[in-house]
Amino acid sequence: MFSKPVPADSLYLAWAAAVFPLAAFGIIMIFLRRLPKAAAGVSLSAIAVSLVCAVCLLARHWHLEMPLESTVQWMASSDFEIPVGVLIDGLSLLMLVIVSGIAFLVQLYSIGYMAGDPGYARYFGFMSLFAWAMTSLVLAPNILQLFIFWELVGLSSYLLIGFWYEKLSASQAGKKAFVMTRAGDTLFFCGWLILLVWGGTVSILDLNHSAHSLSQAMVTASALLVFGGIAGKSAQFPLMTWLPDAMEGPAPVSALLHSATMVAAGVFLLGRLFPFFSQSDAAMTVCLFIGFVSMLLSATMAMVSRDIKQVWAYSTVSQLGFMIMALGAGGYAAGIFHLTTHAGFKALLFLCAGMLIHACETNDMFEIGQAGGRRMKLTVLCMTIGALALSGIWPFSGFFSKEEIMAALAAANSPVWYIGGLAGVFLTAYYSFRLIFVILLPGSTKAHGPGSQSGPEHARAVMHAVLVILAVITLVMGFFAESLQNLLTGQGVNAPGVHGPFPAKVVSPVLAIAGIVVAWLEFGRKDSARIGFAGRISPVARLFGQRWYLDHAYGWLVGRILDRGIAEGCQQNENRVIEKILHTVAGSVTACGRAAAGWHRAMIQSKLMVVFAVVFGLTLILLAA
Amino acid sequence: MTIYAVFFYIIAALIIAATGLAITRKHMVHAVLCLVVSFFGTALLFYLLGAPLPAIFQVIIYAGAIMVLFLFIVMMIRIDPEKTHRFPLGHYLAAGGICGAYFVAAVLLTLLSGPRARQPMPAATASPFDFGYYLFDRHWLSIEMISLLLLVALIGTLHLGLGRVGRKQKKGGGQ
Amino acid sequence: MIVPYTHVMLLGGVLFLLGMICTLTRRNLIMIILGLEIMLNAAAITFVGAGLHLQQIEGQAIALFILAVAAAEVSVGLALVVCIYRQTGTVDPQCIEGNKCQLKPDQTG
């Protein structure tokens, strides 16, 4: 066996962490729709319980040597059973703490941010639904259970993106996110069906430990299909364009779902099945490649965007690409560690962006800068800390995780990945500080300060407290790198500690600083043109601004191939073939019925004839029997 | 071939011929008369097959009562036989098909029957006494049911015959 | 020794067939009932023959029951025919159905 049963008290803790938010969701949706304060209280206390449970679990199993797994049978079909239960190992513990922690902080922040919104109770209900789905996803011991919660997470994402459903763009963005992730999930579904049918198991531990006994082709095929789901959920190329649109939701939602936790579920799944994936070189190469492409593409998109939330969204895609590259290069601990740090500083960045947007009532960073966004000193300070972490500057958490990733990439088989990674580091620093400088050092400011301060004083205090907590986490997280790696690799995941060559350790911070300097030269200087180097060449700017025409490509694909080609062909088939066949069949059945009815409608003797014929037939049957 | 067999074949030919004539006559009176001959032949056949009591009943009930009833009705209902319509050809073809299938099946069954059925049957007679004793010994309940059935038929016939007249009378009385 | 049982059966079969032809092809209710009588008669013959073949009186008893049932059926059937004739003025089975009587114009004309 690869696992030990979970001790009873840990089991209760794990269940409690998952079930409390569900209970909160039910209570809010059924009883508290009209009581926003109570709804917020219930939701917050539930997620607080989850957080406490998660921290207790982490503390208890800090020196975990072997994964703990407890399952009960859910249903059994002829020769395989589908269990449900919990799987506790370093990865799930870490993710559980991240999810419940960020969810708690974001909900706390939301109390102020969402104040006065007519859908206040609904918002907290959906947040609880998400918390339940995400914690259960993290604890799932088999792929089926994981898939169920994977879909539930997608559902809550859809609900929260379209939270302001009166706005057309919001509901469209929700639909887009739902459909695009669904495209990936279909592949994921096929992938685990292959595993179930030919591999005979969906248990994660079994898969990880017995992958080498399965045939290579099957492992590759199912791994690639599962990777499709990962690409959809984590917004990787080519299914990446839903994430920037998903920023239509409230800023805390973007912070929680679309940067810190939900989109990280794809990376989490990749880490979950890391030993399985590493059995297939082809799948790993695809991971590397897809991560590489999405990382660079979205970094370039972030360079020209003016929408502050979209910049962070592109940056999220880019950082997720980094993680997937790291995992694809074999740096298991590096990828997951980056996930952890990224969750912290990206949530921080989004929450700061939310503060600025709330205060200035615009998403455009230039307008925010001109409206005097820098006067919100604490917010801008926290944002700068987040941006420093994102760029990978010592001593912020991003530095440590990025170092790990660069080391893993340097150890990969081809230098292309490493060079690409370095370019990514440079671009990341550039676009983050472009944003920071635009807000911090606007060319000219209007006389009056930022608009109406949001909410009552104590709510703002809570929001600021959340920002400070996240900033502190971002500051200190990097120094726990060693112990987190021990936690992650302590259970036989064969990831040798990768230590890059010395130049690698120097090159990437230097490039990051170079990026900051370039950003300062173009946006920060007093008499700068305030146009990025990409913006000077208009075709390139247009290319980046239009997201490399990916949406156009999809539009073309959907319009030409799906609508005109397949759908029209299907319609022709429907009209010309199927309906004709149906008409013929229906017509002949009707005619037969008419004929048969005719015998009964006709005079006695025709009926009599039928009776004779039937009796004759019955006699024959009886004789034959 | 015994004398019984000769009688059997003669009677069988008579029955078939008479029945064939009966079903093809245009005038129903002719048809009923032919059928009377056929039933007489059947009675003879019963006697030959060792059933004197059913033979007598056949003469009394079938040839006597039932056929006379038919004659009455035929005379009551006056129909010009020349004016009757014929079925369309398809109907005849279908009927012929079904009858042909029955005939083929009957011949096949006869040909395929076991050796015991091919043996000439021994002659035997159930005397009216034995028959009556057997009937009331074994089938007394069935006899009672038959009598009940006949009673019901009698009442039903009366009802059918009288109902119309009664209503007419009422109508007449109303006028 | 009389004939084999198969011959009796064949006779019964042919008679039954004749009755069937009568019921199927004549457009006359009375002839249909006549055909029924022929068929019942054929059945009775077969039963009596079977009784002789198996050396049992049972066959004759059933022939007697057939006779009784035939009598009851004929009386009720003929009463119905009379009723119908009184109501519709015809014994053509197709005309009884009501809507597609082709006979009436001929009868009136």
Side-chain angles (χ1 to χ4, degrees), chain B residues 2 4-5 8-9 12 15-16 19-20 22-26 28 31-32 35 39 42 45-46 48-51 54 57-58 61-62 66 69-70 73-74 76-79 83 85-87 91-92 95 98-99 102-103 110 113 116-124 126 131 134-135 139 142-143 146 149-150 153 157 160-161 164-165, chain C residues 1-11 13-22 24-28 30-31 33-34 37-38 40-41 44-45 48-49 52-55 57-58 60-61 63-76 78-83 85-87 90-94 102-103 106-107 109:
Chain B
T2 58
Y4 288 125
F8 176 84
Y9 290 125
I15 293 172
I16 290 174
T19 314
I23 67 169
T24 50
R25 292 306 87 192
K26 270 192 173 168
M28 279 186 289
V32 173
L35 206 62
F39 286 162
T42 310
L45 194 67
F46 281 177
L48 187 68
L49 293 177
F57 281 147
Q58 179 83 7
I61 297 175
Y62 250 127
I66 295 179
L69 191 60
F70 265 105
I73 300 297
V74 166
M76 244 172 77
I77 294 168
R78 233 170 292 151
I79 292 172
K83 286 265 175 78
H85 272 237
R86 283 181 172 276
F87 282 114
H91 186 90
Y92 286 111
I98 290 174
C99 294
Y102 265 82
F103 185 71
T110 314
S113 54
R116 189 158 166 251
R118 288 165 191 277
Q119 297 277 323
M121 293 183 292
F131 181 63
Y134 178 83
L135 206 58
H139 292 296
S142 308
I143 297 288
I146 287 289
L149 177 72
L150 287 172
T157 313
L160 284 171
R164 183 110 180 136
V165 179
Chain C
M1 287 286 149
I2 326 180
V3 291
Y5 175 57
T6 50
H7 293 200
V8 181
M9 239 167 63
L10 203 58
L11 174 66
V14 170
L15 265 186
F16 188 85
L17 207 65
L18 288 173
M20 232 167 89
I21 291 168
C22 185
L24 287 181
T25 57
R26 299 298 299 259
R27 276 179 83 155
N28 188 328
I30 299 177
M31 289 306 282
I33 295 178
L34 214 69
E37 293 308 306
I38 297 170
L40 284 167
N41 197 34
I45 288 175
V48 172
L52 183 66
H53 176 58
L54 301 173
Q55 298 290 309
I57 310 183
E58 191 73 25
Q60 297 185 14
L64 196 71
F65 294 146
I66 289 175
L67 218 68
V69 169
E73 171 255 319
V74 159
S75 59
V76 177
L78 285 178
L80 277 170
V81 170
V82 171
C83 263
Y85 180 72
R86 277 181 188 160
Q87 283 184 1
T90 177
V91 287
D92 189 321
Q94 196 161 23
Q102 300 153 342
L103 196 63
D106 288 18
Q107 268 191 336

Side-chain angles (χ1 to χ4, degrees), chain A residues 106 110 114 119-128 160 163 250 252-253:
Chain A
V106 167
S110 305
M114 298 299 289
Y120 199 70
R122 185 162 56 95
Y123 173 82
F124 279 99
F126 290 163
M127 281 302 224
S128 295
L160 284 167
F163 179 72
V253 169

Side-chain angles (χ1 to χ4, degrees), chain A residues 546-600:
Chain A
Q546 295 288 334
R547 305 181 187 168
W548 290 73
Y549 294 101
L550 271 178
D551 274 340
H552 295 268
Y554 287 138
W556 184 84
L557 207 68
V558 169
R560 283 293 162 85
I561 294 180
L562 278 182
D563 277 6
R564 294 230 192 115
I566 298 175
E568 207 139 286
C570 287
Q571 198 190 358
Q572 294 289 331
N573 179 44
E574 167 81 22
N575 287 346
R576 300 246 172 104
V577 183
I578 294 180
E579 284 203 359
K580 197 164 265 185
I581 290 174
L582 280 180
H583 275 294
T584 319
V585 169
S588 52
V589 167
T590 316
C592 288
R594 289 248 165 78
W599 294 337
H600 284 270

Side-chain angles (χ1 to χ4, degrees), chain A residues 598 600-609 612, chain C residues 20 23-27 29 32 39 93-94 97:
Chain A
H600 284 270
R601 260 192 334 198
M603 9 185 298
I604 314 170
Q605 277 146 313
S606 305
K607 301 178 194 173
L608 201 59
M609 212 183 304
F612 279 132
Chain C
M20 232 167 89
T23 53
L24 287 181
T25 57
R26 299 298 299 259
R27 276 179 83 155
L29 283 174
I32 289 174
M39 288 198 284
Q94 196 161 23
E97 304 285 321

Side-chain angles (χ1 to χ4, degrees), chain A residues 55-239:
Chain A
V55 172
C56 288
L57 272 178
L58 186 67
R60 200 184 139 89
H61 298 291
W62 184 254
H63 298 292
L64 195 64
E65 280 159 5
M66 199 177 230
L68 304 175
E69 188 183 22
S70 263
T71 56
V72 289
Q73 184 179 315
W74 178 29
M75 56 183 174
S77 185
S78 59
D79 54 350
F80 56 80
E81 359 185 285
I82 295 171
V84 292
V86 294
L87 168 63
I88 294 179
D89 61 2
L91 182 58
S92 63
L93 284 173
L94 188 61
M95 277 301 282
L96 194 62
V97 173
I98 295 171
V99 168
S100 51
I102 304 277
F104 175 73
L105 290 174
V106 167
Q107 288 197 14
L108 204 60
Y109 175 89
S110 305
I111 290 179
Y113 189 84
M114 298 299 289
D117 193 281
Y120 199 70
R122 185 162 56 95
Y123 173 82
F124 279 99
F126 290 163
M127 281 302 224
S128 295
L129 174 69
F130 168 74
W132 168 58
M134 194 69 203
T135 44
S136 306
L137 186 152
V138 166
L139 291 170
N142 61 56
I143 297 185
L144 179 62
Q145 190 181 342
L146 194 147
F147 186 74
I148 292 170
F149 290 106
W150 180 273
E151 293 298 327
L152 273 173
V153 165
L155 170 72
S156 50
S157 156
Y158 164 75
L159 290 172
L160 284 167
I161 293 172
F163 179 72
W164 287 316
Y165 54 83
E166 303 92 344
K167 223 165 57 173
L168 180 68
S169 58
S171 63
Q172 296 280 28
K175 250 187 286 178
K176 185 175 179 183
F178 200 66
V179 171
M180 285 185 90
T181 47
R182 209 55 62 247
D185 292 351
T186 312
L187 298 180
F188 180 19
F189 189 78
C190 297
W192 73 257
L193 270 191
I194 288 180
L195 286 178
L196 183 63
V197 173
W198 284 293
T201 178
V202 286
S203 163
I204 289 167
L205 289 177
D206 286 354
L207 278 177
N208 281 347
H209 285 87
S210 61
H212 50 83
S213 63
L214 303 172
S215 82
Q216 188 68 32
M218 202 196 86
V219 171
T220 305
S222 54
L224 286 178
L225 286 170
V226 170
F227 187 72
I230 292 169
K233 188 64 84 187
S234 286
Q236 294 300 294
F237 180 82
L239 299 174

Side-chain angles (χ1 to χ4, degrees), chain A residues 494-517:
Chain A
N494 45 354
V498 272
H499 291 294
F502 176 73
K505 286 200 165 181
V506 181
V507 170
S508 70
V510 166
L511 273 172
I513 290 166
I516 296 173
V517 170

Side-chain angles (χ1 to χ4, degrees), chain A residues 19-41:
Chain A
V19 165
F20 267 89
L22 173 65
F25 169 66
I27 291 170
I28 290 170
M29 292 319 260
I30 296 170
F31 301 114
L32 302 178
R33 290 295 293 271
R34 311 209 179 282
L35 299 170
K37 290 245 164 65

